[in-house]
Amino acid sequence: MTWLSDLEGAARTALPAPVFEYLAQGARDSVSTLESTWGWSERRFLPHVLRDVTDVDLSVPMLGSPARVPWGIAPTTQQRAVHPDGELAMAQATAAAGSVLVVSSNAGTTFADIASTGVRWWLQAYLPADRALAEPMLARAVDAGAEAVVLTVDTPVVATKYAAGDQVVWDVVDPELLRVNFDPGYEDAPGAEKALDLGPHDIVWLAEQTGLPVVAKGVLRPDDARRCVQAGAAAVWVSNHGGRQLDRAASTASCLPAVVTAVEGAAQVYVDGGIRSGLDVLAALALGADAVFLGRLPLYALVEGVGGVARMHGDLLDEAVEAFRLAGCRLVADARGVVREP
Ligand SMILES: Cc1cc2nc3c(=O)[nH]c(=O)nc-3n(C[C@H](O)[C@H](O)[C@H](O)COP(=O)(O)O)c2cc1C
C-alpha cells in the first residue's frame, strides 16, 4: 500500500460518513464506478526497450498552453466539506504543480478568490432550462480569468444515488458552502432546473457568451464527439461522470480509442474516470488521450489540505515518470500505442 493507493481508505476514516459517501458513491448500483479503474488496469502494455529515458518530460499542451503534467483536476463539488480551505487549497497545490484546475460552477469559493492563487483554471458549467439565468455566473468567471468553459453534457437530470445511513451530505453540510458564484435565489427561479434540451447549439452559445474555448465533458460515443467538434468544441472530454450519472455506462477506457479516432486531431481529447495511479495515466495516454483528469483522487488528498493535494501531484508524477521509463517513453507523444486492447 502506498500513500496514494491508500488515499480512499484514509478519507473513509477521516471524513464524516455522509461526506465520504457523497464522494465515493456512484449512481444506482455503482456498476460504472466500480468498473472505472479496472478499465485501465485490464489494458496490457507493449513497452519499448533500448531507448534513452534519462530525461522524461511529461508536459503537454492543454488548449494551446503548456501544462507541466499531463493531468488536470476535474470539477467536483463539496470541496469545503472535505477541508475548510476547499477550492483554495486545491488551487494553490495545483498551481504549484503546473497543472490545470477545473472549477465546478457549484463551487463553495468565489471565482475571484480561486483566481487570486494564480492557478490556471477553467469553469465547468451545467446549463439551466432558461439559459439566460446562467449569464451572470458565466460573466463572473470570464471577469475572474477563466481560460475555458467546460460544458457538462451528461447531466440532463441528476441520477439517483442511494444512501447507506440516515443522513446524506446535504443534511450535514452548510448550504452556504455551495454555489457561491450564482445570484442569490438562483435555485428558486423558474427555469433554473437543468436543461433537458441541451444540444450542439449550446456549445456555440457558450462560446459566443464567453469568448472562451468550450470543452464538452461527458462524451462516450464517437458520433457525439464528432457533433461536438462540428459545433466548434476545442476539446472533447470522455467521461461517464465517475459513474455518477447513467449506471452501467461503458468504462471510459473502453470508449476512448473510438473517440480519438473519430475526432482525428481536430480537437483535443481528454478522459477521466477511475484514474488513481501513474500506470492508469500511462494507459490513458497510450490509448490516445491528450491529457487526463482526476476527480476523486485529489478530493481524497484534500482531506490533508494543500499539503495533501501537493503530495498527490508529486507522488503521481513519481509514479508516472517510473511508468514512462519502464515503457521506454521519454515524452507523452512516445506513449501513444504502447498498449494493446484486452
Ligand atoms: C464528489 C464529486 C462531485 C462532482 N461534481 C461534479 C460537478 O460539479 N460537475 C461535473 O461536471 N462533474 C462533477 N463530478 C464528476 C467529475 O468531474 C469527474 O467526471 C469524475 O469524478 C471522474 O472520475 P473519478 O472520480 O473516478 O476520477 C463530480 C465527481 C465527484 C466524485
Side-chain angles (χ1 to χ4, degrees):
M1 212 36 117
T2 61
W3 180 83
L4 207 56
S5 64
D6 193 35
L7 272 180
E8 179 174 343
R12 184 192 296 272
T13 309
L15 291 171
V19 175
F20 176 77
E21 176 176 70
Y22 177 73
L23 308 190
Q25 69 188 167
R28 298 283 173 180
D29 301 322
S30 295
V31 172
S32 297
T33 299
L34 293 168
E35 277 182 359
S36 59
T37 297
W38 175 243
W40 304 113
S41 57
E42 72 176 338
R43 263 69 196 172
R44 292 292 168 266
F45 296 118
L46 290 172
H48 293 286
V49 293
L50 302 176
R51 287 187 166 190
D52 182 352
V53 288
T54 313
D55 297 315
V56 173
D57 175 1
L58 292 185
S59 64
V60 285
M62 287 176 81
L63 294 184
S65 308
R68 251 189 350 259
V69 289
W71 56 80
I73 304 296
T76 53
T77 41
Q78 295 290 10
Q79 296 185 13
R80 293 186 66 191
V82 176
H83 190 280
D85 297 339
E87 288 87 1
L88 277 186
M90 197 72 100
Q92 283 159 356
T94 300
S99 174
V100 172
L101 178 71
V102 184
V103 176
S104 169
S105 44
N106 295 333
T109 306
T110 66
F111 298 147
D113 285 348
I114 292 169
S116 72
T117 63
V119 74
R120 188 177 166 204
W121 71 283
W122 303 346
L123 168 73
Q124 174 271 330
Y126 296 108
L127 288 185
D130 178 357
R131 309 294 193 271
L133 289 175
E135 288 172 14
M137 186 273 295
L138 294 172
R140 277 176 205 123
V142 172
D143 286 349
E147 285 183 25
V149 188
V150 175
L151 175 63
T152 301
V153 296
D154 59 12
T155 310
V157 291
V158 176
T160 298
K161 301 174 187 81
Y162 304 122
D166 296 337
Q167 287 187 309
V168 295
V169 72
W170 316 110
D171 299 324
V172 300
V173 165
D174 180 355
E176 298 290 312
L177 301 185
L178 207 64
R179 298 215 179 96
V180 302
N181 292 289
F182 286 92
D183 286 348
Y186 170 87
E187 274 170 76
D188 302 324
E193 66 280 6
K194 291 196 168 53
L196 285 168
D197 59 351
L198 213 61
H201 55 274
D202 286 299
I203 294 175
V204 178
W205 180 82
L206 263 180
E208 284 170 1
Q209 276 293 318
T210 62
L212 298 175
V214 177
V215 178
K217 172 178 184 279
V219 175
L220 294 176
R221 300 173 54 101
D223 51 358
D224 285 340
R226 266 187 236 108
R227 290 166 72 221
C228 293
V229 174
Q230 279 158 9
V236 172
W237 181 328
V238 177
S239 175
N240 62 21
H241 218 110
R244 298 164 77 86
Q245 283 298 106
L246 178 66
D247 195 23
R248 304 190 199 173
S251 74
T252 53
S254 67
C255 295
L256 175 62
V259 171
V260 171
T261 304
V263 168
E264 287 179 318
Q268 290 207 295
V269 177
Y270 308 136
V271 70
D272 72 18
I275 293 176
R276 304 283 183 270
S277 70
L279 289 172
D280 299 338
V281 172
L282 176 65
L285 299 173
L287 288 168
D290 290 297
V292 307
F293 280 87
L294 313 168
R296 293 181 182 85
L297 196 66
L299 272 180
Y300 296 147
L302 182 61
V303 171
E304 295 183 29
V306 64
V309 183
R311 182 167 179 192
M312 183 220 69
H313 281 294
D315 285 15
L316 193 60
L317 183 59
D318 290 346
E319 285 193 8
V321 168
E322 178 183 301
F324 264 65
R325 286 200 166 117
L326 291 170
C329 302
R330 204 179 68 73
L331 304 172
V332 169
D334 301 336
R336 189 64 76 94
V338 297
V339 72
R340 118 181 133 201
E341 286 293 295

